[in-house]
Amino acid sequence: DQQVKQNSPSLSVQEGRISILNCDYTNSMFDYFLWYKKYPAEGPTFLISISSIKDKNEDGRFTVFLNKSAKHLSLHIVPSQPGDSAVYFCAASVPSSNTGKLIFGQGTTLQVKP
Amino acid sequence: ETGVTQTPRHLVMGMTNKKSLKCEQHLGHNAMYWYKQSAKKPLELMFVYNFKEQTENNSVPSRFSPECPNSSHLFLHLHTLQPEDSALYLCASSQVLGTNGGETQYFGPGTRLLVL
């Protein structure tokens, strides 16, 4: 049972346009959500996060939206740049006392075309 | 060195070999993690160490043996692995606040392991 799902394995957008990456989850107890970016041969790099008490968090070109009733979050990148081409993972934090455990989606490969 | 480092970056081993992966974090965090990433699969959590104590073992086979001598270092000892264990092994660290999570994990570059 996969608790965090990224149903689109890949996405291609034109440079300068908006990229929207989606993520769905099943556990309503998740309280913290993160997006990571991963280039080939590197580890995931933290991008942006959002607490379940918010519905939007913005950092420069990156905005994460959270819709708790739909158990859905999305990452908007605008304007998209060729350097944004990477695999994007969403992750959810398991509410527990001591582990900081994260559950990851399968990832979406974003390609930004010049 | 800054952040989270992992050595070696690449490893090829036979099924009868014994090897170890090393992870070091320079962030002053109190929790460290081992993940496995196989092709086209989500990152799979293997082990969690919090304050040097193992707090989670995610049903990992005994041929993988973690060791956390202090809060900055984490090892993954490998022995009699199978070809299906070939994957990218990622280490991460975070500062666990002891409440309901909400901490960001920072990852190392990973060790690409090939078992022949």
Side-chain angles (χ1 to χ4, degrees), chain A residues 7-113:
Chain A
N7 292 317
S8 297
S10 62
L11 174 68
S12 181
V13 299
Q14 207 65 36
E15 180 180 7
R17 305 297 291 268
I18 186 170
S19 295
I20 300 176
L21 298 112
N22 294 303
C23 180
D24 297 295
Y25 61 95
T26 57
N27 189 341
S28 57
M29 297 299 290
F30 288 150
D31 59 358
Y32 186 64
F33 303 88
L34 307 91
W35 283 96
Y36 285 85
K37 178 169 77 171
K38 185 179 182 300
Y39 293 118
E42 294 184 14
T45 302
F46 170 70
L47 203 54
I48 192 169
S49 62
I50 188 166
S51 166
S52 59
I53 62 173
K54 295 186 175 182
D55 55 19
K56 177 183 174 182
N57 187 26
E58 190 173 352
D59 183 2
R61 296 185 299 114
F62 302 92
T63 303
V64 55
F65 294 92
L66 177 62
N67 182 335
K68 289 185 287 294
S69 60
K71 296 191 183 69
H72 177 84
L73 68 155
S74 60
L75 175 68
H76 292 211
I77 307 173
V78 56
S80 301
Q81 300 173 353
D84 296 329
S85 298
V87 180
Y88 288 78
F89 293 95
C90 68
S93 175
V94 179
S96 58
S97 59
N98 285 317
T99 65
K101 180 178 176 179
L102 295 179
I103 305 293
F104 284 84
Q106 316 94 299
T108 296
T109 300
L110 172 66
Q111 183 185 27
V112 180
K113 297 178 180 178

Side-chain angles (χ1 to χ4, degrees), chain B residues 66-86:
Chain B
E67 178 191 359
C68 188
N70 54 61
S71 59
S72 298
H73 294 86
L74 185 64
F75 295 89
L76 187 62
H77 304 299
L78 316 171
H79 63 99
T80 60
L81 294 193
Q82 305 298 312
E84 58 264 30
D85 296 322
S86 299

Side-chain angles (χ1 to χ4, degrees), chain A residues 2 31-32 34 36 38 41-44 46 49 89 93-102 104-106, chain B residues 9 33 35 37 42-43 45 48 50 55-56 58 88 90 96 98-105 107-109:
Chain A
Q2 197 165 341
D31 59 358
Y32 186 64
L34 307 91
Y36 285 85
K38 185 179 182 300
E42 294 184 14
F46 170 70
S49 62
F89 293 95
S93 175
V94 179
S96 58
S97 59
N98 285 317
T99 65
K101 180 178 176 179
L102 295 179
F104 284 84
Q106 316 94 299
Chain B
R9 294 293 309 275
Y33 311 79
Y35 286 87
Q37 188 184 22
L43 275 70
L45 179 66
V48 180
N50 195 309
T55 56
E56 184 128 0
N58 216 23
L88 179 68
L90 291 159
V96 175
T99 55
N100 281 346
E103 301 90 6
T104 300
Q105 291 181 19
F107 285 83

Side-chain angles (χ1 to χ4, degrees), chain B residues 19-65:
Chain B
K19 296 286 184 184
S20 295
L21 309 185
K22 179 183 175 182
C23 176
E24 184 173 358
Q25 60 97 0
H26 310 267
L27 300 168
H29 289 162
N30 58 13
M32 297 187 77
Y33 311 79
W34 278 117
Y35 286 87
K36 174 184 177 183
Q37 188 184 22
S38 304
K40 300 188 193 294
K41 285 188 175 182
L43 275 70
E44 299 172 60
L45 179 66
M46 299 175 73
F47 300 104
V48 180
Y49 275 84
N50 195 309
F51 297 98
K52 301 184 299 178
E53 299 294 323
Q54 187 180 130
T55 56
E56 184 128 0
N57 176 337
N58 216 23
S59 303
V60 181
S62 60
R63 56 186 184 269
F64 295 91
S65 174

